[in-house]
Amino acid sequence: MAKPTEFRIDVEKALGKTEVRAHFRKAMDTLMTNRRNQFPDDAALQALRTQAQAIRANALSKLPELLEQLETNLTKNGVQVHWAETTDEANQIVLGIMQKHHAQSIIKGKSMVSEEMGLNHFLEERGIEALESDLGEFIIQLDGETPSHIIMPAIHKSKEQISKLFHEKFPDIPYTDNVDELTASARRILRDKFYAAPVGLSGVNFAVAETGTLCLVENEGNGRMSTTIPPVHIAVTGIEKVVEKLSDIPPLLSILPRSATGQPITTYFNMISGPRKADEKDGPTEVHLVLLDNGRSRIYSDPELLATLRCIRCGACINHCPVYVRIGGHSYGTVYPGPIGTILEPQKEGLKVHGELIQASSLCGACGEVCPVRIPIPNIINRLRHDSVRKDTENTPTQDAGTRRKPLEAAIWQAWSWSASHPSLYNFGGKTATQLRGLVPNNLGAWTKVRTAPKLAEQTLHQQLKALGVDHE
Amino acid sequence: MSQTTNPPKPDTIYFFGTCLIDLIYPKAGVSAVQLLQRERVKVIYPQAQTCCGQPAWNSGYRDEARQVARAQIKFFPKNIPIVIPSGSCAGMMKTHYPELFKGEADEVEALNLANRVYELTEFLVDVLKVQLQDLGEAVEVAVHTSCSARREMGVADKIEQLLGQLSNVDVKEQAYKTECCGFGGTFAIKEPEISAAMVADKTLHIRATGATQLVSQDCGCLMNISGAFAYQAQHEGKAAPKAQHIAEFLWERTHG
Amino acid sequence: MSNARTAILQRLNSVERPVVDVSARESLSVVSWDKAECIHRFTERMQAVRAEVHRSDRGNWLDKVAEICKTKGLNNLLLSPKTEWGQVITQNAAQFPRLKHYERSIEDWKEELFYQVDAGLTSTLGGIAETGTLILWSSPDEPRTLSLVPPIHIAILDTDKLYTTFAKAVKTQGWLEQGLPTNALLISGPSRSADIAQVLAYGVHGPRELVVVLV
């Protein structure tokens, strides 16, 4: 047996933590119920999904033009646009802006792209404080963790854990497990930080090419604070987030929060079209947008894999995944966990690093069923499984294609294929197998750890139907 | 997805038995054929048939899957329905053959076959419109609809529709009914720990209903769930609900 | 980093574009609620997320706002004296707690704004019935922080500007034709979070309370 991989070890560890598992189950149950309650009319839901899919697919089909249009309009509005091929380039751009302003700290609204960039770590290595202000992100940052869910980053933590953490990190604040009091403490601490922060950072949910507008969805107001209070605002986003028209926004805004947390709408929907104007009294005087590729243009080059880029990061696939609910977000060892991570990470980072994830799916289809933009996630998992073992690696843009092809496994599938496409061989094999069924071991490795071994029948269906005289042509 | 308009009742159909039923659950296949024949449909079972190719397809071995699929296409040439007692194999042929044969010389044949595929319970309800009479004792039954029947074939409610005709059958609904049982073909082998956790929950929820019988339209799920039931009976002394393919259950209760 | 720009665009442009069916893109949800229904839905939604909604009319809105200020025990109220509502309130300052006007740039009075303002009052560009939402556009008179930094946000909504859906509001108000402001904002309740064990908490970073006065 090969040495267990890091993923295997993490999965086993996660499955062993029954309390955390129960916690995840409860959390996902709530999110699933909330979503279901938002869509009482299935026909309306399906129509909205089709519309959202069309909006995103349309945007992707015009992606280079829309990016240029977005850049032109943002520039006209006074926003400075930067392009980055890699996360390192993106980090350098952020650093450069900060250095220009002699900024020693940055306050952040929630941004998965900044997680993808490893921005906090990058800045901290250079002596710059990067502070998360989303309550969930703030909590996990206190504990030196990464998000376990893309929209509820601290979902793996219980109230008791958070209470203890607050007391440990802020000994001056009396211990409490009252959520309102904990929240009030976080507000006070972060208010002072917002007050003083020289630079704010945010992600982008949608970027409107037609108007040069950056849209942000949030509940807490930290997104507004991060993009309003500090004199400099830096937004980071993947190149795929652009949509063509302003009229594309309402349907996407209608389906995103309902799919994500089961809210009809988030508390705030923030549409930013530029820095502070001469006669305005607040808002940043500088706004920057960093457009990050990091493998997206490679994904773009394949007509099937392209669907991955339709994602609007609602997390519904995660909430409905029977694998995620059991192993939690950290086991994936990736920035994006769950089904979306399973398809995105191996494409972004290559199959050598994250190729194992594509086995972590029973292909049950729950993710594809709820995806608001109809990404066929199971089909893409299947495609990546193919990419990982295919021989014609020149026909896919996926990095490290073919590198998971193992000679023994390939030989078994070839033998199986040969037998199952030659009926006489198959029937001989089937008959022989059933005749020798007593020899099948009762120990089938992992299968029989929790199940008994299946028993071969005395006679195959082929034999029985022949005996019954069923027409066989 | 299931057809919006169903064809009239045909005289003759093909039966694709699936490799799992062939080798491990032949009784389910025989029962399915008997159910179909009772509706005065002539059933043809091409003896050359083997497997739909799904195991290789789901493992990424597309050339190998195609070779096997190509053989099946040849074995089912007539323009008549192909009835399959499995949502998973039906889903493979109906939704994945078109992908598997895209751009191949025999793409047309593959599409033609895909269009003729029916999952058994779908065929019984929508095309044959069977009327069942219950001859069995009162029983409480839990239904596990496979993910492929539910999401690929869109025939999630068919078993319940059939059981609804049986006067002595009381369907008990388990918690997390729509959740995967953890089988997933090679998933159970490649991710044994996660799969085990899933089937443990599935058996727990089915037991909690008090049902003494479990039915499904997929033998893969049945092998997984009933294997876990039997293991729990052996090692934990728990009673094992009887697990049967829906065809076998229906035939047992309705033939005189 | 213009190299990155060129390289990215070149890669994207080298791809044979997918043909997509976008026929469903423009479909608009059709809801036709009359004004009463709009008010009803708006109120229901707002209250569901713990916002206060008060009904008033042209004759008594001023008293209503004054009463709210009193009930909340406000020591001061930040507003613009230049809006339709702000003008009248300013003329009747005696009825209100100490009025503060947002007259300087944020840098010049940040500390006071952050720590010494009890509530901000804003006008609204309109409302959305379907989701219980206020539309606010930033302007020199009513800056972004007016509805963000003080712990209580009082918003006045003219019910003639209550639209069924967001799409309808964008279209009817001609957002595209007007050109968007620096910051267009939809507000659908007080600031909230469920990040601690999925327990809802209010007033995380934005206002703890949202009070809507319908006129």
Side-chain angles (χ1 to χ4, degrees):
Chain A
M1 280 298 275
K3 224 174 83 201
T5 60
E6 223 170 287
F7 177 64
R8 292 248 63 76
I9 294 165
D10 287 345
V11 162
E12 281 219 58
K13 254 195 253 166
L15 288 169
K17 296 179 185 163
T18 42
E19 221 174 291
V20 181
R21 264 179 68 187
H23 183 70
F24 264 105
R25 173 103 260 181
K26 197 171 144 259
M28 296 307 118
D29 283 355
T30 308
L31 289 166
M32 286 194 285
T33 307
N34 290 352
R35 174 186 175 275
R36 205 163 37 240
N37 292 342
Q38 282 302 320
F39 298 110
D41 176 355
D42 188 61
L45 166 62
Q46 300 314 330
L48 187 56
R49 289 176 75 212
T50 304
Q51 186 181 13
Q53 171 186 5
I55 288 168
R56 291 293 301 134
N58 169 69
L60 291 176
S61 75
K62 301 171 183 165
L63 187 57
E65 292 79 11
L66 294 185
L67 284 170
E68 288 191 78
Q69 190 190 2
L70 177 72
E71 183 186 40
T72 305
N73 284 327
L74 280 171
T75 308
K76 213 187 294 171
N77 294 347
V79 176
Q80 300 173 47
V81 179
H82 312 261
W83 303 66
E85 288 208 74
T86 61
T87 54
D88 192 52
E89 279 181 25
N91 284 326
Q92 293 292 348
I93 292 166
V94 174
L95 180 67
I97 298 166
M98 297 198 61
Q99 283 170 340
K100 202 182 87 191
H101 292 273
H102 308 290
Q104 284 306 305
S105 70
I106 186 166
I107 194 152
K108 295 175 65 198
K110 195 170 154 29
S111 153
M112 285 309 294
V113 167
S114 79
E115 297 284 347
E116 187 179 327
M117 289 156 59
L119 178 67
N120 295 5
H121 181 69
F122 173 88
L123 291 177
E124 273 152 21
E125 274 186 338
R126 283 151 188 85
I128 294 174
E129 183 195 32
L131 185 71
E132 297 288 348
S133 66
D134 171 88
L135 184 56
E137 293 275 357
F138 176 70
I139 290 165
I140 58 170
Q141 190 182 32
L142 280 180
D143 215 4
E145 289 184 318
T146 54
S148 60
H149 192 289
I150 63 169
I151 56 159
M152 310 209 79
I155 194 120
H156 57 288
K157 280 191 142 33
S158 68
K159 193 172 74 175
E160 290 68 32
Q161 287 174 313
I162 295 168
S163 305
K164 276 187 202 142
L165 181 67
F166 267 58
H167 189 59
E168 190 187 306
K169 301 286 174 183
F170 307 106
D172 295 348
I173 303 172
Y175 176 87
T176 176
D177 62 0
N178 178 301
V179 173
D180 287 332
E181 287 172 20
L182 290 168
T183 304
S185 296
R187 178 187 173 105
R188 269 195 309 276
I189 294 161
L190 288 164
R191 271 272 151 148
D192 297 346
K193 297 288 184 179
F194 277 121
Y195 182 87
V199 182
L201 184 129
S202 76
V204 175
N205 289 97
F206 318 112
V208 188
E210 181 179 45
T211 54
T213 302
L214 308 176
C215 304
L216 275 155
V217 167
E218 59 140 347
N219 284 313
E220 295 182 4
N222 67 310
R224 289 182 67 196
M225 294 290 276
S226 306
T227 58
T228 306
I229 308 293
V232 179
H233 167 210
I234 305 172
V236 293
T237 190
I239 53 171
E240 81 282 16
K241 287 285 178 70
V242 63
V243 295
E244 186 178 9
K245 294 182 173 178
L246 185 61
S247 60
D248 288 334
I249 293 297
L252 292 180
L253 180 61
S254 173
I255 206 164
L256 173 61
R258 290 201 275 168
S259 299
T261 50
Q263 293 173 263
I265 190 169
T266 49
T267 301
Y268 302 114
F269 185 62
N270 188 356
M271 305 174 76
I272 298 164
S273 301
R276 181 193 310 195
K277 292 187 182 128
D279 57 352
E280 288 180 324
K281 300 189 184 77
D282 65 8
T285 47
E286 256 184 44
V287 178
H288 298 264
L289 174 69
V290 181
L291 289 165
L292 174 66
D293 184 339
N294 193 29
R296 288 164 174 82
S297 58
R298 190 175 54 241
I299 299 171
Y300 187 75
S301 69
D302 185 283
E304 185 181 13
L305 300 176
L306 168 72
T308 312
L309 300 179
R310 287 210 295 264
C311 179
I312 55 173
R313 304 283 190 269
C314 70
C317 61
I318 302 175
N319 303 343
H320 289 75
C321 178
V323 172
Y324 175 88
V325 73
R326 289 182 174 80
I327 67 173
H330 288 147
S331 302
Y332 289 82
T334 51
V335 172
Y336 302 90
I340 183 62
T342 300
I343 61 170
L344 184 58
E345 295 287 358
Q347 294 189 68
K348 228 158 38 70
E349 313 293 328
L351 287 163
K352 274 187 189 156
V353 194
H354 291 311
E356 202 177 352
L357 290 187
I358 56 181
Q359 303 302 337
S361 165
S362 65
L363 299 176
C364 78
C367 48
E369 186 178 46
V370 296
C371 176
V373 288
R374 295 184 189 275
I375 301 172
I377 297 174
N379 294 10
I380 294 178
I381 292 173
N382 186 296
R383 161 64 190 275
L384 292 173
R385 287 184 184 178
H386 177 49
D387 283 353
S388 69
V389 297
R390 71 195 288 171
K391 285 185 288 188
D392 59 333
T393 53
E394 67 283 2
N395 292 330
T396 179
T398 307
Q399 267 187 320
D400 314 321
T403 54
R404 288 187 171 258
R405 189 180 179 90
K406 300 199 181 71
L408 178 63
E409 193 181 71
I412 290 171
W413 283 118
Q414 273 160 7
W416 169 85
S417 176
W418 178 255
S419 144
S421 54
H422 293 80
S424 52
L425 256 180
Y426 171 87
N427 281 328
F428 175 73
K431 270 180 233 165
T432 314
T434 48
Q435 276 155 17
L436 301 176
R437 69 190 189 285
L439 300 177
V440 174
N442 281 324
N443 185 348
L444 295 176
W447 177 270
T448 46
K449 267 190 189 159
V450 296
R451 310 170 190 85
T452 55
K455 296 243 174 338
L456 290 170
E458 286 175 36
Q459 276 199 316
T460 64
L461 181 65
H462 279 73
Q463 291 170 309
Q464 293 193 31
L465 290 183
K466 201 173 195 176
L468 287 170
V470 171
D471 201 325
H472 50 75
E473 308 228 325
Chain B
M1 286 290 125
S2 63
Q3 275 89 347
T4 41
T5 53
N6 293 299
K9 180 178 158 181
D11 300 326
T12 312
I13 59 154
Y14 280 130
F15 188 71
F16 182 81
T18 82
C19 58
L20 201 54
I21 286 182
D22 187 35
L23 296 175
I24 299 177
Y25 298 102
K27 213 171 159 194
V30 173
S31 301
V33 169
Q34 286 167 322
L35 283 170
L36 292 163
Q37 286 175 331
R38 188 170 66 187
E39 300 302 314
R40 301 175 196 288
V41 177
K42 186 184 165 196
V43 177
I44 302 172
Y45 183 82
Q47 280 281 337
Q49 64 178 278
T50 58
C51 168
C52 65
Q54 192 188 46
W57 164 256
N58 280 349
S59 300
Y61 287 86
R62 293 195 176 180
D63 293 339
E64 289 76 4
R66 197 179 299 110
Q67 193 182 343
V68 173
R70 185 165 281 143
Q72 311 313 311
I73 293 173
K74 288 204 193 88
F75 303 147
F76 294 82
K78 288 188 191 170
N79 190 24
I80 53 174
I82 303 166
V83 179
I84 305 180
S86 157
S88 166
C89 309
M92 174 68 198
M93 289 179 149
K94 196 176 183 72
T95 68
H96 300 308
Y97 275 19
E99 296 168 59
L100 189 56
F101 284 89
K102 204 166 185 183
E104 299 284 322
D106 41 3
E107 186 178 356
V108 176
E109 287 82 354
L111 286 171
N112 176 284
L113 177 130
N115 285 332
R116 292 184 280 129
V117 165
Y118 292 85
E119 186 275 328
L120 174 71
T121 58
E122 171 193 23
F123 195 73
L124 291 174
V125 172
D126 293 343
V127 181
L128 297 184
K129 299 183 170 58
V130 290
Q131 295 298 317
L132 301 171
Q133 200 173 1
D134 197 358
L135 305 174
E137 299 286 310
V139 64
E140 293 185 336
V141 178
V143 178
H144 174 71
T145 292
S146 70
C147 298
S148 39
R150 178 181 304 283
R151 304 194 179 97
E152 271 186 1
M153 294 299 290
V155 297
D157 53 345
K158 303 302 175 196
I159 290 185
E160 273 91 341
Q161 286 184 34
L162 290 163
L163 294 182
Q165 297 182 22
L166 303 180
S167 51
N168 264 339
V169 170
D170 186 8
V171 175
K172 294 285 177 190
E173 194 174 309
Q174 68 273 31
Y176 301 102
K177 188 174 178 232
T178 60
E179 193 177 86
C180 176
C181 70
F183 178 59
T186 51
F187 172 74
I189 307 299
K190 297 221 173 190
E191 298 293 340
E193 299 87 2
I194 307 172
S195 173
M198 287 165 75
V199 76
D201 288 344
K202 186 55 78 184
T203 51
L204 186 77
H205 298 136
I206 294 172
R207 279 185 199 285
T209 64
T212 53
Q213 169 88 45
L214 171 74
V215 293
S216 176
Q217 65 282 79
D218 269 84
C219 285
C221 310
L222 279 175
M223 187 165 78
N224 182 38
I225 301 170
S226 70
F229 276 147
Y231 182 94
Q232 292 158 10
Q234 274 177 28
H235 293 80
E236 295 157 34
K238 290 178 182 164
K242 187 176 174 188
Q244 278 183 313
H245 189 275
I246 181 67
E248 199 180 327
F249 179 77
L250 289 179
W251 179 250
E252 272 185 15
R253 291 192 72 91
T254 60
H255 86 277
Chain C
M1 293 277 169
S2 61
N3 291 346
R5 181 185 189 278
T6 312
I8 293 168
L9 288 175
Q10 206 161 45
R11 275 200 298 277
L12 296 178
N13 274 313
S14 70
V15 172
E16 200 182 320
R17 301 300 173 79
V19 181
V20 291
D21 174 16
V22 294
S23 53
R25 185 173 158 222
E26 306 285 350
S27 75
L28 277 173
S29 71
V30 266
V31 279
S32 50
W33 301 322
D34 62 13
K35 192 170 169 179
E37 179 70 15
C38 280
I39 292 174
H40 171 73
R41 284 177 186 265
F42 175 89
T43 308
E44 208 176 58
R45 283 291 192 206
M46 273 292 184
Q47 287 170 344
V49 292
R50 243 179 58 171
E52 281 176 36
V53 181
H54 299 270
R55 300 286 300 272
S56 72
D57 54 41
R58 291 269 156 196
N60 68 3
W61 69 268
L62 186 73
D63 296 338
K64 191 56 121 187
V65 176
E67 186 192 315
I68 291 163
C69 293
K70 195 173 277 175
T71 315
K72 303 272 171 208
L74 302 181
N75 293 312
N76 57 55
L77 178 68
L78 178 66
L79 79 171
S80 161
K82 292 185 184 156
T83 63
E84 180 190 359
W85 319 106
Q87 249 174 20
V88 180
I89 292 174
T90 307
Q91 285 158 11
N92 295 276
Q95 280 193 55
F96 288 87
R98 193 159 63 83
L99 298 181
K100 293 186 182 216
H101 293 158
Y102 205 133
E103 283 166 327
R104 289 167 289 167
S105 288
I106 182 169
E107 290 77 15
D108 300 333
W109 71 301
K110 205 174 186 180
E111 190 170 349
E112 187 184 341
L113 171 67
F114 260 60
Y115 302 106
Q116 288 158 40
V117 174
D118 285 357
L121 180 139
T122 70
S123 65
T124 56
L125 194 72
I128 301 163
E130 185 180 46
T131 48
T133 300
L134 299 169
I135 302 167
L136 275 79
W137 278 23
S138 67
S139 68
D141 290 336
E142 295 192 301
R144 299 151 77 160
T145 42
L146 181 52
S147 64
L148 174 63
V149 173
I152 299 175
H153 174 205
I154 302 169
I156 303 182
L157 171 61
D158 178 347
T159 51
D160 286 338
K161 294 185 200 158
L162 193 49
Y163 305 94
T164 51
T165 63
F166 181 28
K168 184 88 182 169
V170 169
K171 220 172 167 180
T172 315
Q173 296 190 329
W175 286 27
L176 194 60
E177 297 73 16
Q178 284 190 57
L180 291 174
T182 309
N183 189 216
L185 192 69
L186 305 186
I187 299 179
S188 307
S191 155
R192 65 180 218 170
S193 175
D195 275 350
I196 300 179
Q198 290 190 300
V199 178
L200 264 183
Y202 293 87
V204 194
H205 295 285
R208 231 179 302 251
E209 292 180 47
L210 173 66
V211 183
V212 182
V213 180
L214 297 173
V215 181

